[in-house]
Amino acid sequence: MTIVDLHCHSTASDGALAPAVLVERAHLRGVQLLALTDHDTLDGLDEAERATRERGMQLVNGIELSCLWGGATIHVLGYGFSREAPTLLASIEALRQGRWQRAQLIAERLAAKGMPGALEGARAYQKELGDSENAPARPHFAEFLVRAGHVRDRAEAFRKWLGSGKLGDVKQHWPSLEEVVGTLHEAGAWVSLAHPWQYPFTRSKRRKLVIDFARAGGHALEVVNGMQPLEQVGGLSILAREFGLMASVGSDFHAPGEWSELGLYRTLPEDLPRLWERFNQSPAGVPATSEVT
């Protein structure tokens, strides 16, 4: 059985490992098909592609795009798209600028609470991890808060300042769910809804999100995200069946020793159609531009 991981992050966004180092770690853990899905950027894909070819692995183009739905930040995963698609590149540039505005606003909010220098501190930590021109993300700000002595650890940083609904949860720069799904369609992507159970929704609101995602043209749900509770896998499996969506799986790996590990996740129910088995096909209604190397 092919070991796949369709959700992980490198230093190109908010991960702790450079793309080539991440690929090597995935290879050592037996991953054969990998999607690097950094937040709102393609910057790590060239390095990851070289590294996977050297190790005889397959890499599928991946990205995790931010959007707004129902007042909440939602993440949508795209796979197998053309990296040169003009609409996608324009969207990524707009998101990049939005992330810098977001980082500045987070820093201003923290300064107003007696924690100055957050942007510079988060950026310094980001540069320690690797060469990135993208804005520092919340994990970088969390590390700044730890180093500056404002919190004991990253968990406290998110619980008090950076988590959902907290001071650092800045949303206003994201496009809509429909816009993001449309952008990925234009790039020839397969589209999956990331970790649907991680959003702080009731069951009825989560079901409404899946309905709107499917209506917008989404293809799959990330039914398995790392070692999430089995009842969540079951609940998402029911939604995938109800709305005729495929299933995807991934570790959502960010760093060694945090959250999850590459290639490690709950078992996907056997009856659900696997998204990755379609990567060498073209999504219905879009040009055959899917890229798997």
Side-chain angles (χ1 to χ4, degrees), residues 131-148:
D131 183 20
S132 175
E133 294 304 316
N134 296 311
R138 285 184 293 173
H140 305 122
F141 281 100
E143 182 65 20
F144 159 76
L145 292 174
V146 173
R147 293 184 180 189

Side-chain angles (χ1 to χ4, degrees), residues 17-293:
L17 302 182
V21 178
L22 183 147
V23 168
E24 174 62 16
R25 189 178 185 90
H27 180 252
L28 291 174
R29 293 189 54 80
V31 176
Q32 298 155 284
L33 174 60
L34 181 72
L36 177 61
T37 54
D38 278 313
H39 290 283
D40 307 322
T41 183
L42 306 178
D43 287 356
L45 289 180
D46 285 343
E47 181 180 333
E49 183 176 8
R50 290 191 295 270
T52 52
R53 283 179 174 171
E54 290 171 359
R55 291 161 179 80
M57 299 166 62
Q58 281 189 302
L59 180 78
V60 59
N61 288 343
I63 192 169
E64 186 169 9
L65 292 177
S66 306
C67 61
L68 271 181
W69 178 87
T73 300
I74 302 298
H75 292 157
V76 175
L77 295 156
Y79 302 106
F81 48 80
S82 168
R83 297 189 205 175
E84 290 76 39
T87 305
L88 177 61
L89 294 178
S91 178
I92 289 171
E93 177 57 23
L95 287 164
R96 188 188 73 83
Q97 294 178 14
R99 281 190 170 273
W100 274 108
Q101 295 169 17
R102 174 181 185 247
Q104 182 63 50
L105 184 53
I106 292 173
E108 291 172 1
R109 290 181 175 184
L110 290 172
K113 293 294 185 179
M115 294 171 280
L119 183 58
E120 295 78 10
R123 182 71 172 137
Y125 171 61
Q126 182 186 28
K127 288 185 174 181
E128 289 176 19
L129 297 175
D131 183 20
S132 175
E133 294 304 316
N134 296 311
R138 285 184 293 173
H140 305 122
F141 281 100
E143 182 65 20
F144 159 76
L145 292 174
V146 173
R147 293 184 180 189
H150 298 301
V151 295
R152 292 186 301 274
D153 53 32
R154 290 194 187 191
E156 183 181 357
F158 274 88
R159 187 170 63 252
K160 291 180 67 174
W161 303 111
L162 301 171
S164 179
K166 302 299 181 181
L167 170 150
D169 184 22
V170 178
K171 305 181 179 71
Q172 64 260 39
H173 301 299
W174 311 139
S176 70
L177 172 67
E178 292 77 12
E179 288 171 330
V180 163
V181 173
T183 293
L184 288 169
H185 266 281
E186 289 189 38
W190 292 99
V191 187
S192 177
L193 182 63
H195 42 63
W197 214 279
Q198 288 188 18
Y199 310 116
F201 295 160
T202 62
R203 287 180 181 271
S204 60
K205 188 171 182 179
R206 185 177 300 109
R207 186 173 183 276
K208 180 63 166 59
L209 168 63
V210 173
I211 290 172
D212 286 353
F213 173 74
R215 285 176 176 168
H219 301 115
L221 298 184
E222 190 174 54
V223 172
V224 179
N225 179 271
M227 298 303 290
Q228 68 191 101
L230 286 172
E231 58 266 27
Q232 295 182 10
V233 175
L236 293 174
S237 298
I238 290 170
L239 288 172
R241 296 182 189 108
E242 180 179 359
F243 296 105
L245 296 168
M246 290 177 284
S248 67
V249 298
S251 64
D252 202 1
F253 175 84
H254 284 73
E258 293 187 20
W259 300 305
S260 61
E261 184 53 82
L262 287 159
L264 179 65
Y265 43 79
R266 298 286 188 188
T267 301
L268 185 68
E270 287 293 332
D271 67 299
L272 295 178
R274 273 63 170 154
L275 175 64
W276 60 93
E277 294 177 354
R278 304 289 188 90
F279 282 166
N280 288 320
Q281 304 174 28
S282 173
V286 299
T289 55
S290 297
E291 294 186 12
V292 181
T293 61

